[in-house]
Amino acid sequence: MSDDMVDRTRKLEETTVSNSLHEEEEEEEERPVREKAEYEEEELHKLLVPDVSQLPPTPPSAVETNFVSYFAPDFMKPGNDQYVYRHANGLCVVGLASTHLAFKDKGGITAVDFNVGKSDRSSMKVTGKRKRNAQHFESNTALCKVCTGDDSYVVRCCVKGSLLEVNDRLIKQPELLNSSADREGYIAIIMPKPADWLKVKTSLLSLEEFKILRELC
């Protein structure tokens, strides 16, 4: 082997070693960045794909997702259980709890009449952002009367506030109360003042308290 070839070989070897060291240094510098990217990708995956073992047996309903549930058991009369679903914007949806006496009558609810008190609640029309024409009711004001084959029951506001609307679909479709009283079968929507809500809230039960009271657990 000539001296030129030896020198060239040596130089190639030195260059290869130098490049190898340089690559190792670059890899060391890139490692924290790569590890951070991998960590962020893993965290994003956890958010997008939750652990199946931590999911509830059944997905939460629209009511559970958007409202806080309260209950007024035996409101004005024994067995007249009503619910108040409060939205974050302050609106309260009022209806019959599943334990209401009306659902225990044979055949369930067969008719709904909003013509109670001195006016027909279904004829009230609220307009505009200021909710013009809204009537202000007390918590014990009657909203409607639900009828079964054996009896009739008065449904009340449960909260003091402005009546924004009643579910007039129930006039033609009272069966909605039997099939979905907590959804399509709601009775009315009421807007209480913040101060009035704080007062009435203390008299209502949470969902957990209501389940214990009615032994629904």
Side-chain angles (χ1 to χ4, degrees), residues 20 27 58 113 140 149 169 175 199:
S20 178
E27 186 177 352
T58 56
D113 185 7
N140 61 353
R169 287 178 61 190
E175 66 274 5
K199 289 179 182 178

Side-chain angles (χ1 to χ4, degrees), residues 52-172:
V52 177
S53 64
Q54 295 181 359
L55 294 176
T58 56
S61 66
V63 171
E64 293 171 330
T65 302
N66 299 293
F67 297 86
V68 178
S69 300
Y70 296 92
F71 292 85
D74 303 318
F75 196 76
M76 304 292 291
K77 282 188 176 182
N80 285 8
D81 295 352
Q82 292 187 225
Y83 67 72
V84 178
Y85 295 155
R86 188 169 191 268
H87 195 273
N89 61 14
L91 291 177
C92 291
V93 180
V94 178
L96 299 186
S98 61
T99 52
H100 194 284
L101 274 180
F103 298 123
K104 299 178 182 180
D105 288 353
K106 185 178 180 180
I109 295 169
T110 57
V112 177
D113 185 7
F114 285 100
N115 190 9
V116 292
K118 297 180 180 180
S119 61
D120 185 348
R121 310 300 189 213
S122 63
S123 65
M124 299 178 183
K125 302 299 178 185
V126 178
T127 60
K129 291 183 178 180
R130 294 182 179 276
K131 310 302 179 187
R132 285 187 286 271
N133 301 326
Q135 294 198 21
H136 304 282
F137 292 145
E138 297 294 325
S139 60
N140 61 353
T141 302
L143 284 171
C144 69
K145 180 171 62 175
V146 298
C147 304
T148 66
D150 302 322
D151 210 339
S152 64
Y153 305 86
V154 176
V155 182
R156 302 181 185 276
C157 292
C158 292
V159 295
K160 179 181 179 181
S162 302
L163 178 63
L164 302 188
E165 75 171 56
V166 297
N167 187 5
D168 54 11
R169 287 178 61 190
L170 299 177
I171 298 173
K172 294 182 178 180

Side-chain angles (χ1 to χ4, degrees), residues 204-214:
L204 302 175
L205 299 184
S206 67
L207 175 58
E208 292 73 20
E209 292 170 334
F210 184 72
K211 284 182 175 180
I212 293 172
L213 177 68
R214 291 295 182 241

Side-chain angles (χ1 to χ4, degrees), residues 25 90 183 198 201:
E25 290 175 356
R183 300 186 302 280
L198 290 176
K201 181 182 176 182

Side-chain angles (χ1 to χ4, degrees), residues 20-80:
S20 178
L21 291 173
H22 182 64
E23 290 174 357
E24 289 180 1
E25 290 175 356
E26 287 185 341
E27 186 177 352
E28 287 295 326
E29 292 176 356
E30 292 175 358
R31 183 173 297 152
V33 177
R34 186 170 61 252
E35 289 177 350
K36 181 180 179 182
E38 290 174 352
Y39 172 77
E40 291 177 348
E41 184 177 353
E42 183 180 349
E43 290 299 307
L44 179 60
H45 184 270
K46 289 180 181 178
L47 291 174
L48 297 177
V49 186
D51 185 354
V52 177
S53 64
Q54 295 181 359
L55 294 176
T58 56
S61 66
V63 171
E64 293 171 330
T65 302
N66 299 293
F67 297 86
V68 178
S69 300
Y70 296 92
F71 292 85
D74 303 318
F75 196 76
M76 304 292 291
K77 282 188 176 182
N80 285 8

